[in-house]
Amino acid sequence: MEKQQRIKELVAQLNEASRAYYQEDREVMSNREYDALYDELAALEQETGIILSGSPTQHVGYEVLSELEKMPHESPMLSLDKTKSPEALRDWLGDKEGMLSWKMDGLTVVITYRDGALYRAVTRGNGVIGEVITNNARVFQNLPAKIPFDGELVLRGEAVIRYSDFRRINDSIENVDAKYKNPRNLCSGSVRQLNNEITARRNVFFFAFSLVSAQGKALSNSVEENMRWLESLGFAIVPYQMVDGSTILDAVQDFAARITENDFPSDGLVLIYDDIAYGNSLGATAKFPRNSIAFKWADEEAETVLEEIEWSPSRTGLINPIAIFAPVELEGTTVSRASLHNLSIMDGLELGVGDHIKVFKANMIIPQVSENLTRSGGYTPPQHCPACGTRTEIRVENDVKTLYCPNPFCSAKKVKLFAHYVSRDAMNIDGLSEATLTKMIDKGFLSELYDLYELKQYQNEIVQMEGFGEKSCANLLDSIERSRATTLPRFVYGLGILNIGAANARLLCKHFGYDLNALMEASVEDMVEIEGIGEVIAASVRDYFDNVHNQKVVEKLLAFLTFEEMPEESGETQMLSGKTFVITGSVEHFKNRKELKERIEALGGKVTGSVSNNTDYLINNDNQSNSTKNKKAKELEIPILTEEEFLAMINEGKR
């Protein structure tokens, strides 16, 4: 009975972890912990012969819960059996030849082309039913819009986001809690957006790993030859090596050596028999196909001592625990810190300062604590916020225990809020780093956002501050003065409303006619009518404007600000509707390329990152340069405009 009870516990625990991971883009346990519990469940099922209907060993993923259209797959998309032993890979391959490739860590997508054009894209979903994301697939960075093949073509691949883009996007997010945990989470959210403008900005790439069918074409019996054919049609394919029993161990080592240089995230390798007929003849289990197998890296671990637990407050009040341990070498680098995520994980590890712990890099990249060898359980969450001294609170949401500072005026929250307000996409005030803001808050110069516009009274004191002088102080005050003329979307974004990004701020302001009072009075029901605005976002806006303190802050800020008239209000038509632009090089008539992009979008146009057959205009002040984009535009006979020519074009359109 104990084993049956343990099976029930494991099924519930693993299913909850999968639900959080696949549906809510959050992690309640590491991949390592999930694999260990999964293996324990599989062993118990084999030993007892008892398999529950909801067991994760019997199904793939969860039912999709989203607003995207759902579609069943023609054949189930099974997951792969796995091993961590290179020798087991060699034994599995036997005397056959196989293709060894990266197991990319993103979102699996089934792509269909008809008459040479992208027809449909569907996520893997739960393996039986996926979500239709065709509109988003159209803006994948490297997915062909058209291919030289007229019959119906179906292929599978992985949508991924590069580490470099992941870091860039996370660096732009001030709120620590809102930062993405890893590229897979970011990719999942990006691919499943309702607004493909957001997808386009995230730089999603697609790599084909399987040709499913090609109407009217006699396909090769070789996986490699079919992949090469897909490559000839313009698809990027997953990097691979052909291997046999004598070369596979060296190939695994070669892949391992390239992990730290690989900008695309992976969580292992995939080995498939090159002989398609042979692989298909092996059939499949209820969960795994027998023609392929996954290889997961055996993580390099190091034993060390937990020296300190650092508690880092964020703008939303969440206090994040961070393990500080004696430095160790892992995967060629020295590490001494690892996020512990929340109190539930710390409880599970029974952590205490002085404990002997094991650490590793998840997928050879992200430091994690894997095991606590001494389990003293001696950690104590701080009873007072490290930033402001307010008594902390322990909260439990979705069975996850976290530590919060409830003080709405916490100095950590204040610093993050001010930093967000002055950021480039908000009020664009230069010269105020978090360190400078902290000093100004500590000195009493700043308490509320509107105090920024009265900083001039402290001019003499600011000049004396470290890092400042007459010129830098004057530049700061000039930047603050310039920020007083802004746009309503920038202001709304700058307020730091929970869940409101720059794109959502634009959607809200546009829907309510750039009338702040209308937005402030809008109900949740009014806001959810806007495409791209859900109940969570709408409730955040409503909660913010219902707060009396926030109302006072907004009222006082408005006394200092003037909002630029938006194009729709000044009677300009959507004269650029249906037109696609690419911007390159430096700009002179706009603050930056982002401002030029916003101008084009306000007139109904679209801005993309690369020149293609779908581009109508390339904007480049150096229209005679030999840049890649200029060359591509000339090849495709796409007009290249200077800024002045662009401005003349839209001014002519007003007449």
Side-chain angles (χ1 to χ4, degrees), residues 330-376:
L330 285 176
E331 314 294 352
T333 62
T334 302
V335 295
S336 59
R337 300 166 61 89
S339 173
L340 294 168
H341 303 294
N342 54 57
L343 300 186
S344 292
I345 288 177
M346 296 180 70
D347 289 343
L349 289 168
E350 298 181 57
L351 282 174
V353 172
D355 278 345
H356 288 256
I357 59 175
K358 285 187 175 182
V359 294
F360 73 105
K361 281 188 176 180
N363 296 332
M364 299 190 177
I365 299 291
I366 304 169
Q368 301 277 352
V369 176
S370 61
E371 189 177 350
N372 184 3
L373 301 175
T374 46
R375 292 185 170 269
S376 70

Side-chain angles (χ1 to χ4, degrees), residues 196-253:
N196 71 349
E197 178 188 0
I198 300 172
T199 308
R201 291 201 302 267
R202 302 283 176 79
N203 286 353
V204 179
F205 287 80
F206 177 84
F207 289 90
F209 59 65
S210 173
L211 171 59
V212 178
S213 62
Q215 185 181 33
K217 177 178 174 59
L219 298 179
S220 168
N221 187 48
S222 163
V223 171
E224 183 186 24
E225 288 184 18
N226 287 338
M227 293 295 286
R228 287 296 185 192
W229 180 67
L230 283 177
E231 192 173 35
S232 74
L233 296 180
F235 295 100
I237 61 175
V238 175
Y240 70 89
Q241 290 187 41
M242 298 305 294
V243 295
D244 58 27
S246 66
T247 61
I248 188 168
L249 297 183
D250 288 339
V252 171
Q253 288 301 315

Side-chain angles (χ1 to χ4, degrees), residues 18 21 113 313 322 378 386 448 458 598 650:
S18 293
Y21 188 73
Y113 284 77
I322 299 168
E448 300 291 352
Y458 301 108
E598 291 173 350
I650 63 175

Side-chain angles (χ1 to χ4, degrees), residues 154-352:
V154 182
L155 67 152
R156 293 174 178 175
E158 197 82 356
V160 295
I161 287 180
R162 299 178 298 187
Y163 279 115
S164 53
D165 287 317
F166 168 72
R167 288 189 289 267
R168 171 182 59 81
I169 292 168
N170 254 4
D171 287 345
S172 70
I173 300 173
E174 295 288 345
N175 182 359
V176 173
D177 311 332
K179 290 181 183 290
Y180 293 92
K181 301 298 183 188
N182 52 52
R184 193 217 69 86
N185 289 108
L186 175 58
C187 185
S188 177
S190 302
V191 167
R192 297 162 61 230
Q193 288 287 331
L194 297 178
N195 179 359
N196 71 349
E197 178 188 0
I198 300 172
T199 308
R201 291 201 302 267
R202 302 283 176 79
N203 286 353
V204 179
F205 287 80
F206 177 84
F207 289 90
F209 59 65
S210 173
L211 171 59
V212 178
S213 62
Q215 185 181 33
K217 177 178 174 59
L219 298 179
S220 168
N221 187 48
S222 163
V223 171
E224 183 186 24
E225 288 184 18
N226 287 338
M227 293 295 286
R228 287 296 185 192
W229 180 67
L230 283 177
E231 192 173 35
S232 74
L233 296 180
F235 295 100
I237 61 175
V238 175
Y240 70 89
Q241 290 187 41
M242 298 305 294
V243 295
D244 58 27
S246 66
T247 61
I248 188 168
L249 297 183
D250 288 339
V252 171
Q253 288 301 315
D254 182 58
F255 274 103
R258 287 185 280 146
I259 286 178
T260 55
E261 302 171 0
N262 192 11
D263 200 20
F264 290 98
S266 66
D267 58 353
L269 303 172
V270 173
L271 177 63
I272 185 170
Y273 293 115
D274 186 53
D275 186 331
I276 296 173
Y278 173 76
N280 290 342
S281 72
L282 300 175
T285 68
K287 186 175 174 66
F288 307 121
R290 291 195 173 99
N291 68 341
S292 51
I293 188 172
F295 171 79
K296 304 272 284 191
W297 304 109
D299 302 307
E300 179 183 340
E301 284 189 318
E303 186 175 332
T304 183
V305 176
L306 181 64
E307 297 180 335
E308 180 186 351
I309 298 171
E310 182 180 290
W311 300 89
S312 176
S314 69
R315 181 166 62 88
T316 62
L318 179 67
I319 302 176
N320 302 286
I322 299 168
I324 312 296
F325 45 83
V328 291
E329 290 287 324
L330 285 176
E331 314 294 352
T333 62
T334 302
V335 295
S336 59
R337 300 166 61 89
S339 173
L340 294 168
H341 303 294
N342 54 57
L343 300 186
S344 292
I345 288 177
M346 296 180 70
D347 289 343
L349 289 168
E350 298 181 57
L351 282 174

Side-chain angles (χ1 to χ4, degrees), residues 521-582:
E521 295 171 3
S523 66
V524 170
E525 291 73 19
D526 293 333
M527 286 183 273
V528 295
E529 292 179 0
I530 307 170
E531 184 175 356
I533 302 296
E535 288 191 11
V536 172
I537 292 174
S540 292
V541 176
R542 188 65 268 142
D543 289 346
Y544 181 88
F545 288 121
D546 281 342
N547 182 285
V548 175
H549 175 262
N550 293 339
Q551 293 170 8
K552 175 187 174 184
V553 170
V554 171
E555 180 183 356
K556 291 201 171 188
L557 280 171
L558 293 178
F560 295 101
L561 304 175
T562 58
F563 297 123
E564 298 171 9
E565 191 176 26
M566 300 302 288
E568 289 82 354
E569 296 175 311
S570 61
E572 290 185 356
T573 63
Q574 298 286 284
M575 65 179 71
L576 300 182
S577 179
K579 301 296 183 184
T580 299
F581 293 77
V582 173

